[in-house]
Amino acid sequence: MAETPSTTYPSPLRLAVIALTCSLSGFLSGLDQTILASAIPKITNDFHTLNGIAWWTSSYLRLFFGRCNTLFPVKYVYITANAFFALGSIICAAAPNSIALIAGRAVAGIGVAGIMSGNVLIIAASAPLERRASLTGMMFAFLGAASVVGPFVGGALTDRASWRWCFGINVPISGVIILSTAFFVHTPRDPGLKQMKLLEKLKEFDIPGTTLLTASFFCLIFALQLGGSTTWKNGRVIALFVLFGVLFVSFLAWQMISKRGIEPAMGNYNVWLTSIYAGCISGGMFIPITYMPVWFQAVRGASAFRSGIMITPLIVSFVVMSIISGVSTELIGYYNPAMIIGAILSAIGSGLLTTLKPQTSHASWIGFQALYGLGAGAGVPPPMLVIQTVLKEQDVPMGVAIVSLSQMLWSSIVVAIAQPIFETKLRSNVIYVLPGFDLEKLSNIGARDLAKFYPPDQLAKIITAYSDAVLKVLFITSALSCLAFPCALSVRWKSMKKEKISQACHDSPCTTNSKDE
Protein backbone atom coordinates (compact mmCIF):
# COMPACT_ATOMS: atom_id res chain seq x y z
CA MET A 1 0.00 0.00 0.00
CA ALA A 2 1.77 3.08 -1.23
CA GLU A 3 2.32 6.05 1.02
CA THR A 4 1.39 9.56 -0.04
CA PRO A 5 2.59 12.91 1.31
CA SER A 6 -0.86 13.53 2.78
CA THR A 7 -1.03 10.25 4.65
CA THR A 8 -2.04 10.79 8.26
CA TYR A 9 -1.25 8.01 10.69
CA PRO A 10 -2.93 7.37 14.04
CA SER A 11 -1.43 8.43 17.35
CA PRO A 12 0.91 6.01 19.13
CA LEU A 13 -1.83 4.96 21.55
CA ARG A 14 -4.37 4.37 18.77
CA LEU A 15 -1.72 2.52 16.75
CA ALA A 16 -1.01 0.27 19.73
CA VAL A 17 -4.71 -0.61 19.97
CA ILE A 18 -4.88 -1.30 16.22
CA ALA A 19 -1.78 -3.51 16.33
CA LEU A 20 -3.16 -5.43 19.31
CA THR A 21 -6.49 -5.85 17.52
CA CYS A 22 -4.85 -7.29 14.42
CA SER A 23 -2.59 -9.51 16.49
CA LEU A 24 -5.52 -10.80 18.52
CA SER A 25 -7.46 -11.45 15.32
CA GLY A 26 -4.51 -13.34 13.85
CA PHE A 27 -4.16 -15.32 17.07
CA LEU A 28 -7.84 -16.26 16.99
CA SER A 29 -7.65 -17.36 13.35
CA GLY A 30 -4.55 -19.45 14.04
CA LEU A 31 -6.11 -20.94 17.16
CA ASP A 32 -9.18 -22.03 15.21
CA GLN A 33 -7.01 -23.92 12.72
CA THR A 34 -5.35 -26.12 15.35
CA ILE A 35 -7.78 -26.19 18.28
CA LEU A 36 -9.90 -28.87 16.61
CA ALA A 37 -7.03 -31.38 16.27
CA SER A 38 -7.41 -32.76 19.79
CA ALA A 39 -11.21 -32.59 19.72
CA ILE A 40 -11.82 -34.63 16.55
CA PRO A 41 -11.90 -38.07 18.23
CA LYS A 42 -14.46 -36.83 20.80
CA ILE A 43 -16.61 -35.36 18.00
CA THR A 44 -16.55 -38.74 16.25
CA ASN A 45 -17.95 -40.26 19.44
CA ASP A 46 -20.70 -37.66 19.90
CA PHE A 47 -21.84 -37.79 16.28
CA HIS A 48 -21.29 -41.58 16.09
CA THR A 49 -19.37 -41.34 12.83
CA LEU A 50 -15.89 -41.31 11.38
CA ASN A 51 -17.15 -40.00 8.04
CA GLY A 52 -16.93 -36.31 8.83
CA ILE A 53 -13.26 -35.85 9.73
CA ALA A 54 -12.22 -34.70 6.27
CA TRP A 55 -15.16 -32.32 5.91
CA TRP A 56 -14.70 -30.75 9.34
CA THR A 57 -11.29 -29.68 8.02
CA SER A 58 -11.56 -29.51 4.22
CA SER A 59 -14.76 -27.44 4.34
CA TYR A 60 -12.58 -24.74 5.84
CA LEU A 61 -11.99 -23.24 2.38
CA ARG A 62 -10.46 -19.81 2.01
CA LEU A 63 -12.50 -18.01 -0.60
CA PHE A 64 -11.31 -14.96 -2.42
CA PHE A 65 -11.39 -11.71 -0.44
CA GLY A 66 -8.61 -10.00 -2.38
CA ARG A 67 -10.95 -8.27 -4.81
CA CYS A 68 -13.22 -7.12 -1.97
CA ASN A 69 -10.37 -5.16 -0.40
CA THR A 70 -9.64 -3.41 -3.70
CA LEU A 71 -13.24 -2.35 -4.31
CA PHE A 72 -14.61 -1.67 -0.82
CA PRO A 73 -13.17 0.01 2.30
CA VAL A 74 -10.77 -2.38 4.01
CA LYS A 75 -12.20 -1.52 7.43
CA TYR A 76 -15.72 -2.66 6.54
CA VAL A 77 -14.55 -5.74 4.67
CA TYR A 78 -12.53 -6.66 7.76
CA ILE A 79 -15.51 -6.18 10.09
CA THR A 80 -17.67 -8.28 7.77
CA ALA A 81 -15.05 -11.05 7.70
CA ASN A 82 -14.90 -11.15 11.50
CA ALA A 83 -18.70 -11.25 11.62
CA PHE A 84 -18.70 -14.25 9.26
CA PHE A 85 -16.14 -15.94 11.46
CA ALA A 86 -18.26 -15.35 14.57
CA LEU A 87 -21.42 -16.58 12.81
CA GLY A 88 -19.68 -19.74 11.62
CA SER A 89 -18.38 -20.38 15.14
CA ILE A 90 -21.90 -20.05 16.55
CA ILE A 91 -23.20 -22.57 14.00
CA CYS A 92 -20.41 -25.01 14.89
CA ALA A 93 -20.94 -24.62 18.64
CA ALA A 94 -24.62 -25.40 18.30
CA ALA A 95 -24.27 -28.07 15.59
CA PRO A 96 -26.61 -31.02 16.24
CA ASN A 97 -24.89 -33.22 13.66
CA SER A 98 -21.90 -33.51 11.34
CA ILE A 99 -23.66 -31.74 8.44
CA ALA A 100 -24.31 -28.64 10.54
CA LEU A 101 -20.69 -28.66 11.71
CA ILE A 102 -19.51 -28.76 8.10
CA ALA A 103 -21.75 -25.81 7.23
CA GLY A 104 -20.44 -23.82 10.18
CA ARG A 105 -16.84 -24.50 9.21
CA ALA A 106 -17.54 -23.27 5.69
CA VAL A 107 -19.02 -20.00 6.97
CA ALA A 108 -16.13 -19.49 9.41
CA GLY A 109 -13.67 -20.24 6.59
CA ILE A 110 -15.09 -17.37 4.55
CA GLY A 111 -14.38 -15.07 7.46
CA VAL A 112 -10.82 -16.27 8.02
CA ALA A 113 -9.98 -15.60 4.37
CA GLY A 114 -10.85 -11.94 4.87
CA ILE A 115 -9.23 -11.69 8.29
CA MET A 116 -5.79 -12.88 7.21
CA SER A 117 -5.50 -10.42 4.30
CA GLY A 118 -7.25 -7.64 6.24
CA ASN A 119 -4.69 -7.78 9.06
CA VAL A 120 -1.85 -6.97 6.65
CA LEU A 121 -3.77 -4.17 4.91
CA ILE A 122 -4.85 -2.51 8.15
CA ILE A 123 -1.30 -2.52 9.53
CA ALA A 124 -0.03 -1.06 6.24
CA ALA A 125 -2.64 1.71 6.34
CA SER A 126 -2.02 2.53 10.00
CA ALA A 127 1.76 2.81 10.23
CA PRO A 128 4.63 4.38 8.25
CA LEU A 129 6.86 2.08 6.27
CA GLU A 130 9.64 1.93 8.88
CA ARG A 131 7.19 0.69 11.54
CA ARG A 132 5.35 -1.95 9.57
CA ALA A 133 7.95 -4.70 9.85
CA SER A 134 7.90 -4.79 13.66
CA LEU A 135 4.10 -4.60 13.82
CA THR A 136 3.69 -7.32 11.22
CA GLY A 137 6.26 -9.44 13.06
CA MET A 138 4.26 -9.11 16.26
CA MET A 139 1.11 -10.17 14.41
CA PHE A 140 2.71 -13.32 13.06
CA ALA A 141 4.25 -14.06 16.46
CA PHE A 142 0.71 -14.21 17.84
CA LEU A 143 -0.27 -16.47 14.95
CA GLY A 144 2.65 -18.80 15.68
CA ALA A 145 1.80 -18.86 19.38
CA ALA A 146 -1.75 -19.87 18.49
CA SER A 147 -0.42 -22.86 16.59
CA VAL A 148 1.38 -24.02 19.72
CA VAL A 149 -1.41 -23.54 22.24
CA GLY A 150 -4.31 -24.57 19.97
CA PRO A 151 -4.14 -28.33 20.64
CA PHE A 152 -3.73 -27.70 24.39
CA VAL A 153 -6.75 -25.42 24.52
CA GLY A 154 -8.77 -27.82 22.38
CA GLY A 155 -7.85 -30.79 24.53
CA ALA A 156 -8.56 -28.96 27.79
CA LEU A 157 -11.95 -27.68 26.62
CA THR A 158 -12.92 -31.09 25.24
CA ASP A 159 -11.94 -32.99 28.39
CA ARG A 160 -13.19 -30.54 31.02
CA ALA A 161 -16.16 -28.86 29.34
CA SER A 162 -17.23 -29.69 25.79
CA TRP A 163 -15.67 -29.66 22.33
CA ARG A 164 -18.35 -27.09 21.46
CA TRP A 165 -16.40 -24.50 23.44
CA CYS A 166 -13.62 -24.87 20.86
CA PHE A 167 -15.92 -22.76 18.70
CA GLY A 168 -17.84 -20.86 21.37
CA ILE A 169 -14.64 -19.24 22.63
CA ASN A 170 -14.34 -17.38 19.31
CA VAL A 171 -17.58 -15.41 19.63
CA PRO A 172 -16.84 -12.94 22.49
CA ILE A 173 -13.29 -12.35 21.23
CA SER A 174 -14.60 -11.66 17.72
CA GLY A 175 -17.03 -9.16 19.24
CA VAL A 176 -14.16 -7.29 20.89
CA ILE A 177 -12.23 -7.24 17.61
CA ILE A 178 -15.22 -5.89 15.67
CA LEU A 179 -15.84 -3.10 18.21
CA SER A 180 -12.17 -2.16 18.34
CA THR A 181 -11.99 -2.03 14.54
CA ALA A 182 -15.11 0.11 14.32
CA PHE A 183 -13.85 2.70 16.80
CA PHE A 184 -10.08 2.81 16.23
CA VAL A 185 -9.31 1.76 12.64
CA HIS A 186 -9.45 4.30 9.84
CA THR A 187 -8.25 3.17 6.41
CA PRO A 188 -7.79 5.54 3.44
CA ARG A 189 -10.14 5.06 0.52
CA ASP A 190 -9.35 5.59 -3.13
CA PRO A 191 -11.45 8.59 -4.29
CA GLY A 192 -12.08 6.83 -7.59
CA LEU A 193 -13.87 3.98 -5.83
CA LYS A 194 -16.34 6.36 -4.22
CA GLN A 195 -17.59 7.28 -7.68
CA MET A 196 -18.01 3.68 -8.83
CA LYS A 197 -21.53 2.29 -8.81
CA LEU A 198 -22.29 -1.04 -7.15
CA LEU A 199 -22.84 -2.78 -10.50
CA GLU A 200 -19.45 -1.55 -11.70
CA LYS A 201 -17.80 -2.94 -8.58
CA LEU A 202 -19.57 -6.27 -8.96
CA LYS A 203 -18.36 -6.45 -12.56
CA GLU A 204 -14.78 -5.83 -11.43
CA PHE A 205 -15.19 -8.48 -8.75
CA ASP A 206 -15.62 -11.15 -11.45
CA ILE A 207 -18.50 -12.98 -9.79
CA PRO A 208 -18.88 -15.50 -12.67
CA GLY A 209 -15.22 -16.50 -12.57
CA THR A 210 -15.10 -16.76 -8.78
CA THR A 211 -18.31 -18.80 -8.70
CA LEU A 212 -17.15 -21.22 -11.41
CA LEU A 213 -13.77 -21.81 -9.77
CA THR A 214 -15.21 -22.26 -6.27
CA ALA A 215 -17.95 -24.59 -7.49
CA SER A 216 -15.45 -26.71 -9.45
CA PHE A 217 -13.23 -27.20 -6.39
CA PHE A 218 -16.25 -28.07 -4.25
CA CYS A 219 -17.30 -30.76 -6.75
CA LEU A 220 -13.78 -32.19 -6.80
CA ILE A 221 -13.48 -32.44 -3.02
CA PHE A 222 -17.02 -33.75 -2.64
CA ALA A 223 -16.35 -36.42 -5.28
CA LEU A 224 -13.18 -37.54 -3.49
CA GLN A 225 -14.96 -37.70 -0.13
CA LEU A 226 -18.06 -39.47 -1.45
CA GLY A 227 -16.06 -41.91 -3.56
CA GLY A 228 -13.94 -42.96 -0.63
CA SER A 229 -16.87 -43.49 1.71
CA THR A 230 -19.03 -45.38 -0.87
CA THR A 231 -17.54 -46.58 -4.15
CA TRP A 232 -15.73 -44.87 -7.01
CA LYS A 233 -18.26 -46.38 -9.42
CA ASN A 234 -21.11 -44.54 -7.71
CA GLY A 235 -23.10 -42.52 -10.25
CA ARG A 236 -22.99 -39.39 -8.10
CA VAL A 237 -19.20 -39.64 -7.78
CA ILE A 238 -18.77 -39.91 -11.54
CA ALA A 239 -21.20 -37.04 -12.08
CA LEU A 240 -19.28 -34.85 -9.63
CA PHE A 241 -15.97 -35.54 -11.36
CA VAL A 242 -17.53 -34.70 -14.72
CA LEU A 243 -19.10 -31.56 -13.29
CA PHE A 244 -15.73 -30.54 -11.84
CA GLY A 245 -14.15 -30.83 -15.27
CA VAL A 246 -16.95 -28.89 -16.98
CA LEU A 247 -16.91 -26.09 -14.40
CA PHE A 248 -13.12 -25.77 -14.42
CA VAL A 249 -12.94 -25.66 -18.22
CA SER A 250 -15.76 -23.11 -18.13
CA PHE A 251 -13.71 -21.02 -15.70
CA LEU A 252 -10.70 -21.08 -18.04
CA ALA A 253 -12.92 -20.20 -20.98
CA TRP A 254 -14.45 -17.33 -19.04
CA GLN A 255 -11.01 -15.99 -18.19
CA MET A 256 -10.15 -15.90 -21.88
CA ILE A 257 -13.46 -14.42 -22.97
CA SER A 258 -13.50 -11.77 -20.26
CA LYS A 259 -9.79 -11.06 -20.77
CA ARG A 260 -9.08 -11.66 -17.10
CA GLY A 261 -6.15 -13.97 -17.77
CA ILE A 262 -3.56 -14.43 -15.06
CA GLU A 263 -0.59 -13.97 -17.34
CA PRO A 264 2.31 -13.26 -17.04
CA ALA A 265 2.51 -14.79 -13.55
CA MET A 266 1.23 -18.15 -14.81
CA GLY A 267 3.70 -17.99 -17.68
CA ASN A 268 6.64 -18.12 -15.28
CA TYR A 269 7.75 -21.70 -14.63
CA ASN A 270 9.02 -20.71 -11.18
CA VAL A 271 5.46 -19.87 -10.17
CA TRP A 272 4.29 -23.34 -11.20
CA LEU A 273 7.13 -25.08 -9.38
CA THR A 274 6.68 -22.95 -6.28
CA SER A 275 2.92 -23.54 -6.25
CA ILE A 276 3.41 -27.31 -6.42
CA TYR A 277 6.08 -27.15 -3.73
CA ALA A 278 3.91 -25.01 -1.43
CA GLY A 279 0.93 -27.30 -1.99
CA CYS A 280 2.98 -30.39 -1.15
CA ILE A 281 4.47 -28.99 2.05
CA SER A 282 1.33 -27.27 3.33
CA GLY A 283 -1.05 -30.03 2.23
CA GLY A 284 1.17 -32.75 3.65
CA MET A 285 1.25 -31.12 7.07
CA PHE A 286 -2.53 -31.38 7.42
CA ILE A 287 -2.27 -35.17 7.63
CA PRO A 288 -0.17 -35.54 10.80
CA ILE A 289 -1.92 -32.61 12.49
CA THR A 290 -5.30 -34.26 11.85
CA TYR A 291 -4.48 -37.94 12.30
CA MET A 292 -1.70 -38.08 14.90
CA PRO A 293 -4.20 -37.17 17.67
CA VAL A 294 -6.37 -40.03 16.39
CA TRP A 295 -3.36 -42.36 16.67
CA PHE A 296 -2.50 -41.17 20.18
CA GLN A 297 -6.06 -41.49 21.45
CA ALA A 298 -7.01 -44.75 19.70
CA VAL A 299 -3.65 -46.55 19.93
CA ARG A 300 -1.99 -45.09 23.03
CA GLY A 301 -5.22 -44.49 24.96
CA ALA A 302 -4.50 -40.80 25.50
CA SER A 303 -7.15 -38.26 26.46
CA ALA A 304 -7.96 -35.37 24.15
CA PHE A 305 -5.86 -33.01 26.29
CA ARG A 306 -2.92 -35.38 26.44
CA SER A 307 -3.03 -36.00 22.69
CA GLY A 308 -2.64 -32.23 22.29
CA ILE A 309 0.48 -32.39 24.43
CA MET A 310 1.77 -35.37 22.46
CA ILE A 311 1.74 -33.52 19.10
CA THR A 312 3.56 -30.53 20.61
CA PRO A 313 6.98 -31.69 19.29
CA LEU A 314 5.68 -31.32 15.73
CA ILE A 315 4.11 -27.91 16.22
CA VAL A 316 6.88 -26.36 18.35
CA SER A 317 9.59 -27.51 15.97
CA PHE A 318 7.55 -26.11 13.08
CA VAL A 319 7.20 -22.66 14.72
CA VAL A 320 10.87 -22.50 15.73
CA MET A 321 12.11 -23.62 12.33
CA SER A 322 9.83 -21.15 10.54
CA ILE A 323 11.61 -18.32 12.38
CA ILE A 324 15.04 -19.80 11.70
CA SER A 325 14.14 -20.30 8.04
CA GLY A 326 13.13 -16.66 7.63
CA VAL A 327 16.19 -15.27 9.41
CA SER A 328 18.66 -17.54 7.61
CA THR A 329 17.09 -16.82 4.23
CA GLU A 330 17.46 -13.10 4.84
CA LEU A 331 21.10 -13.52 5.83
CA ILE A 332 21.99 -15.80 2.92
CA GLY A 333 19.94 -13.91 0.38
CA TYR A 334 18.63 -17.06 -1.29
CA TYR A 335 15.42 -18.98 -0.56
CA ASN A 336 16.57 -22.22 -2.23
CA PRO A 337 18.52 -23.77 0.70
CA ALA A 338 15.52 -23.55 3.01
CA MET A 339 13.26 -25.11 0.38
CA ILE A 340 15.65 -27.99 -0.25
CA ILE A 341 16.31 -28.65 3.44
CA GLY A 342 12.59 -28.43 4.14
CA ALA A 343 11.75 -31.08 1.54
CA ILE A 344 14.51 -33.42 2.74
CA LEU A 345 13.66 -33.20 6.44
CA SER A 346 9.93 -33.48 5.72
CA ALA A 347 10.45 -36.61 3.66
CA ILE A 348 12.68 -38.25 6.28
CA GLY A 349 10.48 -37.23 9.22
CA SER A 350 7.21 -38.31 7.62
CA GLY A 351 8.82 -41.54 6.45
CA LEU A 352 9.86 -42.32 10.01
CA LEU A 353 6.33 -41.57 11.25
CA THR A 354 5.00 -44.35 9.00
CA THR A 355 7.11 -46.85 11.00
CA LEU A 356 5.32 -46.19 14.31
CA LYS A 357 3.94 -49.20 16.17
CA PRO A 358 1.65 -49.39 19.23
CA GLN A 359 4.68 -50.22 21.35
CA THR A 360 7.01 -47.53 19.89
CA SER A 361 8.98 -45.69 22.57
CA HIS A 362 8.26 -42.12 23.59
CA ALA A 363 11.64 -40.94 22.36
CA SER A 364 10.94 -42.26 18.88
CA TRP A 365 7.53 -40.68 18.30
CA ILE A 366 8.75 -37.41 19.80
CA GLY A 367 11.85 -37.37 17.62
CA PHE A 368 10.02 -38.35 14.43
CA GLN A 369 7.46 -35.59 14.92
CA ALA A 370 10.14 -33.01 15.69
CA LEU A 371 12.13 -33.95 12.59
CA TYR A 372 9.08 -33.62 10.38
CA GLY A 373 8.13 -30.31 12.03
CA LEU A 374 11.60 -28.93 11.31
CA GLY A 375 11.20 -29.82 7.65
CA ALA A 376 7.74 -28.31 7.33
CA GLY A 377 8.86 -25.21 9.22
CA ALA A 378 11.80 -24.71 6.87
CA GLY A 379 9.66 -25.23 3.78
CA VAL A 380 6.53 -23.17 4.45
CA PRO A 381 7.94 -19.57 4.43
CA PRO A 382 10.10 -19.58 1.23
CA PRO A 383 7.37 -19.87 -1.47
CA MET A 384 6.14 -16.32 -0.90
CA LEU A 385 9.73 -15.08 -1.06
CA VAL A 386 10.22 -16.84 -4.40
CA ILE A 387 7.19 -15.06 -5.85
CA GLN A 388 8.45 -11.66 -4.66
CA THR A 389 11.89 -12.33 -6.16
CA VAL A 390 11.22 -13.86 -9.58
CA LEU A 391 8.24 -11.70 -10.62
CA LYS A 392 8.00 -8.03 -11.44
CA GLU A 393 6.47 -5.92 -8.71
CA GLN A 394 3.15 -5.48 -10.53
CA ASP A 395 2.83 -9.26 -10.96
CA VAL A 396 3.59 -10.18 -7.34
CA PRO A 397 -0.02 -9.94 -6.05
CA MET A 398 -1.24 -12.41 -8.68
CA GLY A 399 1.69 -14.73 -7.97
CA VAL A 400 0.95 -14.65 -4.24
CA ALA A 401 -2.70 -15.41 -4.98
CA ILE A 402 -1.73 -18.41 -7.12
CA VAL A 403 0.51 -19.88 -4.40
CA SER A 404 -2.12 -19.26 -1.72
CA LEU A 405 -4.75 -20.94 -3.88
CA SER A 406 -2.45 -23.92 -4.39
CA GLN A 407 -1.90 -24.28 -0.64
CA MET A 408 -5.62 -24.15 0.07
CA LEU A 409 -6.57 -26.51 -2.73
CA TRP A 410 -3.89 -29.11 -2.04
CA SER A 411 -4.69 -29.08 1.69
CA SER A 412 -8.39 -29.63 1.03
CA ILE A 413 -7.80 -32.37 -1.53
CA VAL A 414 -5.21 -34.16 0.60
CA VAL A 415 -7.48 -34.31 3.65
CA ALA A 416 -10.41 -35.42 1.47
CA ILE A 417 -8.28 -38.25 0.05
CA ALA A 418 -6.90 -39.22 3.46
CA GLN A 419 -10.29 -39.88 5.04
CA PRO A 420 -11.46 -42.63 2.62
CA ILE A 421 -8.02 -44.24 2.75
CA PHE A 422 -8.19 -44.30 6.56
CA GLU A 423 -11.72 -45.72 6.63
CA THR A 424 -11.11 -48.32 3.93
CA LYS A 425 -7.86 -49.53 5.50
CA LEU A 426 -9.39 -49.63 8.98
CA ARG A 427 -12.30 -51.77 7.79
CA SER A 428 -10.07 -54.17 5.85
CA ASN A 429 -7.73 -54.50 8.83
CA VAL A 430 -10.59 -55.30 11.19
CA ILE A 431 -12.08 -57.86 8.80
CA TYR A 432 -8.66 -59.51 8.53
CA VAL A 433 -7.97 -59.75 12.29
CA LEU A 434 -11.60 -60.26 13.38
CA PRO A 435 -13.55 -62.10 10.66
CA GLY A 436 -17.28 -61.51 10.92
CA PHE A 437 -16.89 -58.36 13.05
CA ASP A 438 -19.81 -55.88 12.83
CA LEU A 439 -18.29 -52.97 10.87
CA GLU A 440 -21.29 -50.77 11.64
CA LYS A 441 -20.31 -50.95 15.31
CA LEU A 442 -16.77 -49.87 14.39
CA SER A 443 -18.04 -46.77 12.61
CA ASN A 444 -20.51 -45.78 15.33
CA ILE A 445 -18.16 -46.09 18.29
CA GLY A 446 -15.54 -43.62 17.06
CA ALA A 447 -11.82 -43.48 17.81
CA ARG A 448 -11.72 -42.73 21.53
CA ASP A 449 -11.85 -44.83 24.73
CA LEU A 450 -11.72 -48.09 22.79
CA ALA A 451 -11.16 -50.09 25.98
CA LYS A 452 -14.69 -49.20 27.09
CA PHE A 453 -16.30 -50.77 24.03
CA TYR A 454 -14.20 -53.81 23.16
CA PRO A 455 -13.42 -56.91 25.27
CA PRO A 456 -9.74 -57.61 25.99
CA ASP A 457 -9.50 -60.37 23.37
CA GLN A 458 -10.60 -57.91 20.65
CA LEU A 459 -9.00 -54.71 21.96
CA ALA A 460 -5.39 -55.49 21.02
CA LYS A 461 -6.40 -56.41 17.47
CA ILE A 462 -8.57 -53.31 17.10
CA ILE A 463 -5.71 -51.09 18.30
CA THR A 464 -3.34 -52.67 15.78
CA ALA A 465 -5.93 -52.13 13.04
CA TYR A 466 -6.28 -48.45 13.97
CA SER A 467 -2.51 -47.94 14.11
CA ASP A 468 -1.95 -49.42 10.68
CA ALA A 469 -4.82 -47.41 9.16
CA VAL A 470 -3.49 -44.10 10.49
CA LEU A 471 0.06 -44.83 9.40
CA LYS A 472 -1.07 -45.72 5.88
CA VAL A 473 -2.51 -42.21 5.65
CA LEU A 474 0.85 -40.76 6.67
CA PHE A 475 2.35 -42.23 3.49
CA ILE A 476 0.54 -39.39 1.69
CA THR A 477 2.66 -36.85 3.56
CA SER A 478 5.81 -38.78 2.77
CA ALA A 479 4.95 -38.93 -0.94
CA LEU A 480 4.17 -35.22 -1.08
CA SER A 481 7.45 -34.37 0.64
CA CYS A 482 9.34 -36.42 -1.92
CA LEU A 483 7.50 -34.63 -4.74
CA ALA A 484 8.46 -31.27 -3.25
CA PHE A 485 12.18 -32.09 -3.49
CA PRO A 486 12.62 -31.91 -7.30
CA CYS A 487 10.50 -28.75 -7.33
CA ALA A 488 12.87 -27.15 -4.81
CA LEU A 489 15.88 -28.15 -6.88
CA SER A 490 14.36 -26.71 -10.06
CA VAL A 491 13.35 -23.28 -8.77
CA ARG A 492 15.63 -20.52 -10.06
CA TRP A 493 18.41 -19.29 -7.79
CA LYS A 494 18.03 -15.52 -7.64
CA SER A 495 19.46 -13.22 -5.01
CA MET A 496 16.89 -11.46 -2.87
CA LYS A 497 19.46 -8.89 -1.75
CA LYS A 498 20.13 -7.66 -5.28
CA GLU A 499 16.45 -7.15 -5.94
CA LYS A 500 15.78 -5.78 -2.43
CA ILE A 501 12.55 -7.68 -2.42
CA SER A 502 11.97 -7.34 1.30
CA GLN A 503 11.85 -3.55 0.95
CA ALA A 504 9.51 -3.86 -2.00
CA CYS A 505 7.22 -6.08 0.00
CA HIS A 506 7.12 -3.51 2.79
CA ASP A 507 6.20 -0.81 0.32
CA SER A 508 3.36 -2.99 -0.99
CA PRO A 509 2.23 -5.65 1.50
CA CYS A 510 2.01 -8.44 -1.06
CA THR A 511 -1.59 -7.80 -1.95
CA THR A 512 -3.55 -6.07 -4.64
CA ASN A 513 -4.80 -2.52 -4.05
CA SER A 514 -6.80 -0.18 -6.20
CA LYS A 515 -3.96 2.21 -6.94
CA ASP A 516 -1.79 -0.56 -8.33
CA GLU A 517 -4.54 -1.61 -10.70
Side-chain angles (χ1 to χ4, degrees):
M1 185 174 293
E3 295 183 54
T4 63
S6 60
T7 299
T8 301
Y9 294 111
S11 65
L13 179 59
R14 182 186 290 268
L15 178 60
V17 174
I18 293 171
L20 182 60
T21 298
C22 291
S23 297
L24 182 61
S25 183
F27 178 86
L28 194 61
S29 301
L31 185 70
D32 195 65
Q33 294 178 47
T34 58
I35 196 173
L36 200 60
S38 301
I40 284 178
K42 182 61 171 65
I43 299 175
T44 64
N45 281 36
D46 287 359
F47 289 157
H48 305 292
T49 180
L50 292 170
N51 296 331
I53 292 179
W55 283 103
W56 304 332
T57 51
S58 67
S59 61
Y60 205 77
L61 301 180
R62 299 188 176 188
L63 306 180
F64 310 107
F65 261 75
R67 297 296 297 176
C68 289
N69 285 316
T70 66
L71 299 172
F72 302 96
V74 173
K75 173 180 178 177
Y76 299 112
V77 174
Y78 188 69
I79 290 175
T80 302
N82 277 280
F84 265 104
F85 180 66
L87 176 61
S89 298
I90 292 173
I91 295 173
C92 290
N97 52 48
S98 180
I99 299 299
L101 182 59
I102 292 169
R105 292 295 278 174
V107 173
I110 295 174
V112 170
I115 291 172
M116 299 305 289
S117 58
N119 284 337
V120 177
L121 294 174
I122 288 176
I123 290 294
S126 303
L129 180 60
E130 61 270 18
R131 293 290 309 279
R132 294 177 196 168
S134 59
L135 295 172
T136 303
M138 182 181 73
M139 183 177 66
F140 280 101
F142 272 71
L143 183 62
S147 300
V148 175
V149 304
F152 289 102
V153 175
L157 290 174
T158 300
D159 282 345
R160 301 176 185 180
S162 168
W163 59 263
R164 297 180 185 277
W165 276 107
C166 293
F167 305 106
I169 193 176
N170 298 333
V171 180
I173 301 177
S174 293
V176 172
I177 292 170
I178 291 173
L179 289 175
S180 178
T181 303
F183 284 104
F184 294 100
V185 173
H186 297 287
T187 53
R189 188 178 180 186
D190 192 328
L193 292 178
K194 295 182 180 180
Q195 302 176 1
M196 290 182 64
K197 297 180 180 179
L198 180 60
L199 290 178
E200 293 176 326
K201 291 182 178 181
L202 292 178
K203 184 178 179 180
E204 288 294 320
F205 189 72
D206 189 22
I207 292 178
T210 302
T211 302
L212 287 170
L213 186 61
T214 303
S216 67
F217 291 159
F218 176 82
C219 290
L220 175 60
I221 297 171
F222 193 21
L224 292 169
Q225 169 69 9
L226 185 61
S229 59
T230 57
T231 172
W232 298 106
K233 297 180 180 180
N234 186 303
R236 287 184 296 173
V237 174
I238 296 173
L240 285 167
F241 275 122
V242 172
L243 187 57
F244 157 72
V246 171
L247 290 172
F248 189 74
V249 171
S250 298
F251 164 76
L252 296 177
W254 169 255
Q255 295 299 297
M256 297 176 63
I257 295 173
S258 62
K259 297 182 179 179
R260 294 180 180 275
I262 51 179
E263 297 284 355
M266 286 293 284
N268 190 311
Y269 77 95
N270 293 286
V271 175
W272 283 99
L273 291 170
T274 303
S275 297
I276 296 173
Y277 178 91
C280 289
I281 297 296
S282 298
M285 191 173 177
F286 267 73
I287 301 296
I289 286 179
T290 302
Y291 284 93
M292 284 305 296
V294 176
W295 190 83
F296 286 126
Q297 294 186 40
V299 178
R300 304 301 288 251
S303 65
F305 179 74
R306 181 156 179 77
S307 71
I309 297 177
M310 294 170 84
I311 64 170
T312 299
L314 189 158
I315 297 175
V316 171
S317 61
F318 170 81
V319 173
V320 172
M321 194 60 175
S322 295
I323 299 173
I324 295 174
S325 174
V327 173
S328 61
T329 298
E330 184 173 333
L331 292 174
I332 298 172
Y334 288 93
Y335 41 74
N336 309 76
M339 294 180 70
I340 295 171
I341 292 173
I344 293 174
L345 293 182
S346 295
I348 296 174
S350 58
L352 290 172
L353 284 174
T354 65
T355 66
L356 293 176
K357 302 294 182 184
Q359 64 274 17
T360 298
S361 66
H362 286 60
S364 295
W365 58 255
I366 290 174
F368 296 167
Q369 286 189 93
L371 185 59
Y372 174 75
L374 291 174
V380 167
M384 293 302 179
L385 300 175
V386 176
I387 296 302
Q388 297 171 40
T389 306
V390 302
L391 293 178
K392 296 180 180 179
E393 185 176 352
Q394 63 268 26
D395 299 325
V396 168
M398 183 55 69
V400 170
I402 294 169
V403 173
S404 298
L405 176 62
S406 176
Q407 291 174 320
M408 178 274 292
L409 180 60
W410 281 63
S411 298
S412 299
I413 292 176
V414 164
V415 176
I417 292 174
Q419 176 64 19
I421 291 177
F422 169 70
E423 290 186 10
T424 302
K425 189 61 181 176
L426 178 60
R427 288 190 175 97
S428 64
N429 287 346
V430 171
I431 291 175
Y432 179 76
V433 298
L434 294 172
F437 186 84
D438 184 5
L439 294 180
E440 189 67 24
K441 177 183 177 182
L442 180 73
S443 179
N444 291 336
I445 285 177
R448 192 184 183 198
D449 297 328
L450 299 183
K452 295 181 180 179
F453 302 99
Y454 299 101
D457 60 319
Q458 291 184 347
L459 181 61
K461 296 178 180 180
I462 291 291
I463 287 177
T464 301
Y466 260 100
S467 179
D468 183 67
V470 172
L471 300 184
K472 286 296 185 293
V473 172
L474 291 174
F475 275 104
I476 299 175
T477 300
S478 184
L480 290 174
S481 299
C482 292
L483 177 59
F485 182 68
C487 294
L489 290 178
S490 303
V491 170
R492 178 184 177 187
W493 286 68
K494 188 174 183 180
S495 175
M496 295 172 58
K497 292 183 178 180
K498 292 180 181 179
E499 299 295 331
K500 298 182 179 179
I501 294 301
S502 59
Q503 181 62 40
C505 187
H506 289 162
D507 292 337
S508 178
C510 304
T511 188
T512 306
N513 60 67
S514 56
K515 294 180 181 179
D516 291 337
E517 296 178 353

